[in-house]
């Protein structure tokens, strides 16, 4: 096994520990939100086992991919046409700062993720240790924009101090589940996430940003020796 393979094995174990731990917070009869990503994958897998054993839940997926995984796991699905508030949502993050602010959207599902992470009574973040940062911004900030006039929107984004890069996939433009583009904004650190989010939302063509501010109720961190459960009342290391 190479060093890289060992590193990937450790990362996967940490994600698995965090993802499975989150499933313990789901109770019979709940309607839940399921995020997108490699850590939430393990939550979905665990929930599938629990549903097969009799757990009664319904879920709203945050992406086409999560919907596919949930159906494969046998998890019953619902929509916001049937519920207007979730009991609990579980999602991952690309970065988490010391104030529990997040950068999300590496997988391109940030708009639907923000719906399930906002319209919920309890929002749980599941991450491995590598996602904890002192300041947001090392990970490029995803911003979803409408295709029409995206070039002008990128110019406006650049005026806020970033280098905007249109996301590509397979030699073509990445298209979100909502039919929009994603612009990855490279900042030299984000000192005021809430202020930046407000500025970005005012730009014509911007649908949503990957900044998730003041939403986290609980964070589960997967570590080599187990998991740590942290609340917003305790600072991150």
């Amino acid at each position: 096994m190479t060093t890289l393979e060992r590193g990937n094995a450790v990362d996967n174990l940490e994600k698995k520990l965090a993802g499975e731990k989150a499933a313990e917070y789901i109770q019979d009869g709940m309607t839940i939100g399921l995020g997108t990503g490699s850590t939430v994958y393990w939550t979905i897998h665990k929930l599938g086992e629990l549903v097969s054993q009799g757990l009664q839940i319904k879920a709203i997926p945050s992406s086409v991919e999560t919907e596919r995984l949930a159906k494969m796991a046998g998890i019953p699905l619902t929509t916001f046409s049937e519920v207007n508030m979730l009991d609990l949502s579980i999602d991952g993050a690309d970065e988490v700062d010391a104030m529990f602010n997040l950068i999300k959207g590496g997988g391109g599902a940030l708009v639907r993720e923000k719906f399930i992470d906002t319209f919920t009574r309890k929002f749980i973040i599941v991450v491995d240790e590598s996602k904890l940062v002192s300041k947001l911004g090392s990970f490029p900030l995803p911003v979803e924009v409408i295709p029409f006039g995206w070039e002008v929107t990128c110019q406006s984004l650049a005026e806020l101090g970033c280098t905007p890069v249109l996301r590509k996939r397979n030699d073509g433009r990445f298209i979100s589940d909502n039919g929009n583009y994603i612009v990855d904004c490279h900042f030299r650190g984000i000192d005021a996430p809430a202020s930046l989010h407000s500025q970005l939302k005012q730009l014509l063509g911007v649908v949503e940003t990957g900044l998730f501010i003041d939403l986290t109720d609980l964070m589960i961190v997967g570590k080599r020796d187990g998991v740590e459960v942290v609340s917003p009342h305790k600072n991150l290391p």
Side-chain angles (χ1 to χ4, degrees), residues 19-94:
E20 291 184 346
K21 178 67 176 179
E24 296 179 11
Y25 291 84
I26 297 173
Q27 300 175 6
D28 205 57
M30 279 187 169
T31 302
I32 65 172
L34 293 174
T36 298
S38 55
T39 307
V40 178
Y41 164 84
W42 293 106
T43 304
I44 296 171
H45 186 270
K46 184 64 177 180
L47 284 176
E49 294 179 1
L50 295 174
V51 167
S52 70
Q53 295 167 12
L55 179 68
Q56 299 290 317
I57 59 171
K58 290 184 179 180
I60 295 182
S62 64
S63 65
V64 171
E65 174 62 14
T66 294
E67 179 179 354
R68 182 186 69 83
L69 291 173
K71 286 180 177 178
M72 287 178 59
I75 300 171
L77 301 180
T78 185
T79 68
F80 277 114
S81 66
E82 298 177 345
V83 297
N84 56 22
M85 182 62 68
L86 300 165
D87 295 301
L88 182 148
S89 291
I90 299 169
D91 208 348
D94 299 302

Side-chain angles (χ1 to χ4, degrees), residues 164-182:
V165 178
L166 186 68
R167 187 177 296 185
K168 301 291 184 68
R169 172 179 286 180
N170 299 329
D171 299 323
R173 294 169 182 171
F174 177 91
I175 306 296
S176 76
D177 289 343
N178 312 305
N180 297 316
Y181 294 163
I182 300 289

